[in-house]
Amino acid sequence: LEPVSFNTYQWLELNDDYSIFKDAVDLTGYKPQLSIDTRGNDTIQPVTLLVEPDDVYKDFGINTVNDLISLISPNDDNYTASENSLHNFVGYHILEGNIFIDNFEGSRTNYTTLSDVPLNIDGTGIDFAINRGKEIFDTIVVQNDSTFIDYIGFLYDKSNVITQSGAIHIIDKLMKQQSPTRANVTFQFLEEPVFNQYRQKEGSYLIDENVNLNTLDWTGPDLYFVELGDEESTAWGSDYLEIDGDFEIAYKIPKIVQGKYELFIGAERFNNQNALIEVFLDGNKIGSFVDLTRGGSANNPFQNSLIGTVDLKNYQSHVITVRSLIPGRFLWDYVRFEPIN
């Protein structure tokens, strides 16, 4: 096995087939975000790049970065500004976190990008589909039947490139920003690089107060991250946070598309020592209390508990706070938002 000796930006430099996107990165100022080295640093959040090769751009009549500018941002040359269309085009190709192809499998959800809108990826079918239904790229007619190609796909054999900055995946069509669509979104503390290190080996890890966490804050007893490894469990991903006593724990979730949702908390609900909790969104209490001493079973102790309905007004991050009403154990698996009309 050869060690990974390059970051994502260096990979673009080394591969001439991606020169148009690389030139766009240079113009928009995203080189630092693609040049990070996450090795041995638990505080740096990796990124995942989805990128079209030059051949894909040429299929859309784009032979140089100037052609891309003419299409995406013809009247605004302030390419490093956050509101610039080319800047957002490049940022739309960069997802927060280190996400591999198999991580997309089984869900249709939105992923946070470095642009001003998220990216939808549907991993529930045979082919994983980016922005399904947003744009028709081709029509295949066989006898009297027409098939519309209305999504962007992955070039699987060329994807899952590992760099010091995170994964790279190659896509097969031009990926422009699309208006975001609400989707089921589950947050599992994946934004914490130190937790992703703990996920590599089974164990119960004390979260030292000196550890730099990006999204979590708590008061009260010691907090642990538990990785179950190959142990059979109904916990999503076989890991969870654990705290026991009189506590308050806050989780700043990534941005989520505005709209109405049902808010769920995934937690263990089959132990008399568990807490009664109340849940807050951005400081506002949602629903009633949740009694975690019951609701699960010996075969399925982790449950998806409906907290209440929320109406999010803007595309932004939010803070979920869980507070013990009656002290006890709290094994926190995830937060989930499911759209409603």
Side-chain angles (χ1 to χ4, degrees), residues 121-191:
I121 299 179
D122 182 355
T124 61
I126 297 175
D127 286 323
F128 296 172
I130 301 170
N131 288 338
R132 185 187 294 276
K134 294 293 186 179
E135 183 177 358
I136 295 177
F137 294 95
D138 198 4
T139 304
I140 300 174
V141 179
V142 178
Q143 295 180 350
N144 293 325
D145 294 327
S146 298
T147 300
F148 298 101
I149 307 302
D150 63 348
Y151 63 89
I152 299 166
F154 291 87
L155 300 179
Y156 301 105
D157 292 342
K158 295 183 178 181
S159 295
N160 278 345
V161 177
I162 301 173
T163 81
Q164 296 167 356
S165 309
I168 300 174
H169 307 303
I170 313 305
I171 56 178
D172 63 2
K173 297 176 186 67
L174 182 65
M175 189 172 76
K176 295 180 289 187
Q177 275 190 299
Q178 301 290 348
S179 58
T181 301
R182 289 180 303 151
N184 291 344
V185 184
T186 303
F187 299 112
Q188 303 172 258
F189 320 107
L190 296 174
E191 306 77 32

Side-chain angles (χ1 to χ4, degrees), residues 6 29 40 42 46 99 106 150 219 240 262 272 274 293 300 303 312:
F6 49 84
D42 293 337
I99 310 172
D150 63 348
T219 58
Y240 52 83
E262 288 183 325
N272 288 332
N274 286 349
T293 64
N300 189 17
Q303 294 291 315
L312 309 180

Side-chain angles (χ1 to χ4, degrees), residues 108-127:
R108 180 178 185 179
T109 190
N110 293 325
Y111 294 85
T112 304
T113 72
L114 299 192
S115 78
D116 57 1
V117 294
L119 177 72
N120 187 270
I121 299 179
D122 182 355
T124 61
I126 297 175
D127 286 323

Side-chain angles (χ1 to χ4, degrees), residues 47-337:
V47 294
T48 298
L49 177 65
L50 276 58
V51 60
E52 310 93 334
D54 289 350
D55 286 347
V56 167
Y57 283 102
K58 291 175 181 177
D59 287 342
F60 288 81
I62 300 169
N63 296 292
T64 67
V65 72
N66 289 328
D67 293 336
L68 180 62
I69 290 169
S70 296
L71 176 67
I72 301 296
S73 184
N75 301 313
D76 181 2
D77 61 0
N78 190 9
Y79 306 125
T80 60
S82 60
E83 65 274 11
N84 177 267
S85 297
L86 184 67
H87 186 87
N88 276 289
F89 172 85
V90 173
Y92 195 59
H93 288 68
I94 306 171
L95 311 185
E96 293 184 355
N98 195 17
I99 310 172
F100 292 96
I101 289 290
D102 59 348
N103 298 135
F104 297 124
E105 185 174 3
S107 65
R108 180 178 185 179
T109 190
N110 293 325
Y111 294 85
T112 304
T113 72
L114 299 192
S115 78
D116 57 1
V117 294
L119 177 72
N120 187 270
I121 299 179
D122 182 355
T124 61
I126 297 175
D127 286 323
F128 296 172
I130 301 170
N131 288 338
R132 185 187 294 276
K134 294 293 186 179
E135 183 177 358
I136 295 177
F137 294 95
D138 198 4
T139 304
I140 300 174
V141 179
V142 178
Q143 295 180 350
N144 293 325
D145 294 327
S146 298
T147 300
F148 298 101
I149 307 302
D150 63 348
Y151 63 89
I152 299 166
F154 291 87
L155 300 179
Y156 301 105
D157 292 342
K158 295 183 178 181
S159 295
N160 278 345
V161 177
I162 301 173
T163 81
Q164 296 167 356
S165 309
I168 300 174
H169 307 303
I170 313 305
I171 56 178
D172 63 2
K173 297 176 186 67
L174 182 65
M175 189 172 76
K176 295 180 289 187
Q177 275 190 299
Q178 301 290 348
S179 58
T181 301
R182 289 180 303 151
N184 291 344
V185 184
T186 303
F187 299 112
Q188 303 172 258
F189 320 107
L190 296 174
E191 306 77 32
E192 295 293 351
V194 65
F195 292 175
N196 294 328
Q197 293 292 325
Y198 295 158
R199 287 183 171 95
Q200 303 304 311
K201 186 177 180 180
E202 178 182 341
S204 179
Y205 300 91
L206 173 65
I207 310 302
D208 191 277
E209 292 181 357
N210 295 323
V211 172
N212 292 319
L213 297 180
N214 298 318
T215 63
L216 278 170
D217 192 18
W218 81 99
T219 58
D222 290 336
L223 178 67
Y224 293 85
F225 181 87
V226 179
E227 169 56 51
L228 298 174
D230 295 331
E231 180 182 338
E232 186 174 339
S233 172
T234 56
W236 192 299
S238 295
D239 57 57
Y240 52 83
L241 296 179
E242 180 175 357
I243 195 167
D244 190 349
D246 189 7
F247 62 84
E248 180 174 305
I249 181 169
Y251 175 27
K252 184 178 181 180
I253 63 171
K255 294 178 180 179
I256 180 172
V257 176
Q258 60 267 31
K260 291 185 177 181
Y261 296 85
E262 288 183 325
L263 169 62
F264 296 83
I265 292 286
E268 204 257 17
R269 298 192 62 170
F270 188 66
N271 193 305
N272 288 332
Q273 302 302 313
N274 286 349
L276 270 69
I277 62 170
E278 49 188 355
V279 179
F280 301 79
L281 175 70
D282 298 331
N284 299 309
K285 185 177 177 181
I286 307 299
S288 184
F289 68 86
V290 179
D291 182 358
L292 296 177
T293 64
R294 53 189 174 182
S297 65
N299 293 327
N300 189 17
F302 282 87
Q303 294 291 315
N304 189 34
S305 302
L306 175 63
I307 305 302
T309 300
V310 298
D311 189 0
L312 309 180
K313 299 301 184 182
N314 299 297
Y315 175 59
Q316 62 185 41
S317 61
H318 300 272
V319 177
I320 303 292
T321 303
V322 180
R323 182 184 300 161
S324 60
L325 194 59
I326 297 179
R329 292 195 328 155
F330 178 42
L331 277 55
W332 194 1
D333 193 8
Y334 58 78
V335 176
R336 178 175 297 157
F337 291 82

